[in-house]
Amino acid sequence: MTAPFSVGVAGLGAAGLAFVPALQTHPGFTWVACAEPVDALRAQVQREHGVAAYATLSALLTHPGLDAVIVATPTPLHAPQALQVAAAGKHLLVEKPMAVDLADARAMVEAAARAGVVLLVGHAHGYDEPIAAMRSIIDSGELGAVGMVNTWCFSDWVQRPRRSDELDERQGGGVTFRQGSHQFDILRLLCGGRARSVRAKTFDWDPQRSTVGAHIAFIDFKDGPAATAVYNGYGGFSSMDLCFDISEWGLHQPPGQRPRWPRPGSAAAELQAKRDRARSAIAAAAPHAPFFGLTLVSCERGDIRQAPNGLRIHTPDSVREVPLALQRSPRERVLDEWHAAISGSAPALHSARWGLANLELCVAALQSSRMAREVTLHEQVPLPGQRL
């Protein structure tokens, strides 16, 4: 293995902090610095982890020997900061959604190519071990060609502490941008990557907290499969009730043990509640496979769904469990892919172009709902190794 790459983390909210345990143990990276504008948070991370801490991304980019940056800042900052990182010649990993609009995302793709740096887009739940294993079963041909994939998630996303931009569609907010980006990544991975069109409807049901809080989308794929994505973030039914009481991050949470989020009385209180939640929102390790809702793959000769510690395959003759090795967390798997791409040992799946294609589906789903019609897609790419 090549020498570890030195990494800085820009943004110390839930997304940025979730990478800390993986960075501390991954042999391919050394976490050396961070950038965070909130003084108290920056000082706390510096004290707890001993990394250099800067108030701005510009300062972080001057850190000696820095090779790469994880951009985990609010979505409206992704594009300008990605251009800044690429111009500095650093590899970068940008959190989903990639950007607020397609023009910004295309500029990011072009900037990374021009600078000759790797731009990876993640974390997305397509990195989850059960989803990757589903793709392997499809590739094996054991169950024949994939025909349908349905993924459904019911959560309390709207009720959790939020910044105002997280609820504003114009700034990449609402569940279609922020959670649909997970779902569309999963569906593209399992259906071959090249979505042809989408027909969707979104919903805004809470006048006290206006946002796109739910959606349903039908996606037609060029290679034959069709898929649906259903997301409801209003906190009624939980998809954990379909998924063995296992949470998004693999924790066992029966109904009486699931967190609830009373709505703060002011914007300042809500922001503080969000910062408090960020410290433990995403588990570094868990006893079970992660369940971002229920994903069901239907092939010619059988169906695949998640099980608590692997997969369950249903055929006309049998139901069998496929255990999976779950030692590596999803974010360790993100770092595996990033390291392989930077070192040149394997092409990235979640490349800049892949991230652009996922974002296109988010944008098109919202457009489809507004216009009440199917929207044709133009930025789609296949899985690595497959021909256009």
Side-chain angles (χ1 to χ4, degrees):
M1 178 178 280
T2 60
F5 298 110
S6 296
V7 178
V9 178
L12 297 174
L17 291 175
F19 272 104
V20 170
L23 284 170
Q24 290 175 324
T25 59
H26 199 285
F29 295 97
T30 301
W31 182 31
V32 296
C34 66
E36 169 56 51
V38 178
D39 294 341
L41 181 54
R42 185 174 68 251
Q44 182 178 6
V45 169
Q46 184 178 35
R47 183 173 61 253
E48 291 178 355
H49 299 288
V51 297
Y54 301 95
T56 66
L57 175 62
S58 296
L60 171 64
L61 291 173
T62 68
H63 187 86
L66 188 71
D67 297 307
V69 176
I70 296 174
V71 177
T73 52
T75 304
L77 299 178
H78 287 182
Q81 292 185 338
L83 299 185
Q84 188 178 357
V85 173
K90 315 299 182 186
H91 302 289
L92 62 159
L93 167 61
V94 177
E95 266 291 324
K96 60 80 201 164
M98 181 179 184
V100 170
D101 59 45
L102 296 181
D104 280 349
R106 292 188 193 103
M108 293 164 69
V109 172
E110 293 166 4
R114 189 166 53 247
V117 298
V118 171
L119 167 54
L120 207 71
V121 182
H123 165 263
H125 278 291
Y127 282 103
D128 293 352
E129 180 66 31
I131 304 302
M134 288 176 174
R135 181 67 243 181
S136 295
I137 293 171
I138 292 168
D139 289 338
S140 76
E142 171 189 349
L143 299 176
V146 60
M148 300 189 302
V149 182
N150 298 287
T151 190
W152 313 294
C153 192
F154 292 76
S155 80
D156 60 353
W157 189 91
V158 176
Q159 311 304 329
R160 299 171 195 166
R162 294 287 168 207
R163 298 186 312 270
S164 60
D165 64 280
E166 294 179 288
L167 303 174
D168 185 352
E169 179 187 323
R170 297 166 299 177
Q171 300 185 71
V175 302
T176 302
F177 273 122
R178 302 186 65 84
Q179 302 295 281
S181 52
H182 287 299
Q183 293 184 310
F184 301 148
D185 183 73
I186 289 170
L187 295 176
R188 292 186 58 243
L189 176 65
L190 297 176
C191 294
R194 300 188 302 168
R196 188 189 67 81
S197 66
V198 61
R199 176 68 172 93
K201 189 170 182 64
T202 65
F203 303 91
D204 181 349
W205 288 329
D206 186 348
Q208 302 303 314
R209 201 171 178 81
S210 182
T211 189
V212 175
H215 65 230
I216 181 168
F218 174 84
I219 305 167
D220 185 27
F221 282 84
K222 291 182 179 179
D223 297 321
T228 64
V230 175
Y231 198 100
N232 183 333
Y234 283 101
F237 180 76
S238 170
S239 50
M240 282 188 274
D241 291 327
L242 298 174
C243 300
F244 313 98
D245 290 328
I246 298 174
S247 76
E248 179 178 0
W249 301 112
L251 302 176
H252 184 247
Q253 291 185 334
Q257 299 177 26
R258 297 171 189 172
R260 299 185 66 83
W261 307 104
R263 196 162 297 178
S266 68
E270 181 153 12
L271 182 57
Q272 185 58 53
K274 179 175 175 61
R275 290 173 181 162
D276 293 342
R277 179 180 179 271
R279 304 291 297 177
S280 59
I282 300 173
H288 300 292
F291 275 80
F292 185 67
L294 174 65
T295 296
L296 180 60
V297 179
S298 296
C299 298
E300 292 172 316
R301 296 190 292 273
D303 305 277
I304 318 166
R305 65 156 296 177
Q306 309 108 302
N309 297 302
L311 299 177
R312 187 168 292 172
I313 297 179
H314 300 252
T315 69
D317 302 319
S318 67
V319 177
R320 64 184 176 91
E321 298 278 337
V322 178
L324 298 177
L326 300 172
Q327 290 88 353
R328 296 188 70 70
S329 72
R331 279 177 171 77
E332 288 176 296
R333 292 170 58 81
V334 175
L335 295 181
D336 289 344
E337 185 180 314
W338 197 27
H339 187 273
I342 294 172
S343 62
S345 62
L349 166 58
H350 295 83
S351 64
R353 287 295 310 280
W354 184 272
L356 170 60
N358 285 345
L359 180 66
E360 182 188 29
L361 261 169
C362 297
V363 171
L366 292 165
Q367 181 185 14
S368 173
S369 182
R370 287 193 297 269
M371 300 177 68
R373 66 170 178 84
E374 181 181 23
V375 174
T376 302
L377 304 167
H378 304 284
E379 300 284 358
Q380 300 297 296
V381 293
L383 293 168
Q386 296 184 353
R387 293 183 297 176
L388 286 168

